[in-house]
Amino acid sequence: MTKFYNVCTRKTITSVNGEKKLYHKVGVIKVTEKGGWFLQLYHQPETDFLIFPSHKDELPVINFDSNEA
């Protein structure tokens, strides 16, 4: 079954009431039944990006806040 994942941006706003995080959907990732991965960003219509694993390069480490993993 084909699966879809949302691609979002996050913006943190600081006010007198504290911090607030805003999330905006900017695209989708589609994973096909045959294992293909495709990225479509809304600001670049009619363009599909293909996603491949990196075999030789070391992947970057992404640090998330403890409640966002």
Side-chain angles (χ1 to χ4, degrees):
M1 169 188 269
T2 300
K3 292 183 180 182
F4 292 90
Y5 298 91
N6 293 324
V7 177
C8 299
T9 62
R10 179 180 73 185
K11 182 175 184 176
T12 302
I13 298 175
T14 305
S15 69
V16 294
N17 298 325
E19 285 190 351
K20 181 177 181 180
K21 291 182 170 58
L22 300 175
Y23 295 88
H24 299 279
K25 187 175 174 184
V26 295
V28 294
I29 291 177
K30 177 173 86 172
V31 182
T32 65
E33 292 178 11
K34 294 184 177 184
W37 286 64
F38 301 89
L39 169 67
Q40 187 174 61
L41 299 172
Y42 296 150
H43 66 281
Q44 283 193 280
E46 307 295 324
T47 304
D48 288 331
F49 300 90
L50 285 73
I51 302 170
F52 299 98
S54 177
H55 294 289
K56 295 181 181 179
D57 298 330
E58 188 173 319
L59 296 176
V61 175
I62 301 171
N63 294 318
F64 292 99
D65 296 336
S66 61
N67 60 348
E68 294 182 325

